[in-house]
Amino acid sequence: MRDEPGTPVTPAGSPAGTTGPRPEPLRFFGTTWLHHDHGYTARRIAVSAGSLTAAAVSCLVLRLAYQGLRLAAIGGFVTLLMVVMFAICSALAFRHTWDGFTRRPDPDRQASLRGLLAVGFVGSLLAYFFRSLTEAPGERLHREEYDAARARHAKRATRRSGNPSKSKKRRA
């Protein structure tokens, strides 16, 4: 649903002078996801590279933590427990973040998983990386919601067209 070429567009992405729904901005992308303009491709490349770099640096930090555990000689069981914990939390964080790109997360569940997502931060970074290879993370969800809101607005606007005070009064 693109607007006519040459129509002035407000920073929010809607045509100037309209009162319809406005697109919700995405982190790092603003509203450029709507028409894939104003450096959208460059932003996607930067987000992909940034999230992959952050995941790689995070893995190096976890490697240093693992070596610290080995040097402390706390035992193989505790070391194994830490490795398994990070692996499971990263997998769960990946899945939760990936699902968050296609549907709105439940706020209560999000709050209860905050600790797990903090421990599994590598999984969240990798989910962000893989999603940004195809689209802005969350773009599909926001586009579906925006298109539905525009359709609802158009339906209401056509139903209410005209000035009701000028309509003919019916006589009983």
Side-chain angles (χ1 to χ4, degrees), residues 36-50:
H36 295 187
D37 56 357
H38 302 294
Y40 171 81
T41 305
R43 290 177 193 219
R44 266 196 34 220
I45 292 169
V47 165
S48 293

Side-chain angles (χ1 to χ4, degrees), residues 1-10 13-16 18 35 37 146 150:
M1 289 189 149
R2 285 194 167 198
D3 299 310
E4 292 297 318
T7 304
V9 176
T10 62
S14 294
T18 63
H35 299 297
D37 56 357
Y146 179 67
R150 284 189 65 176

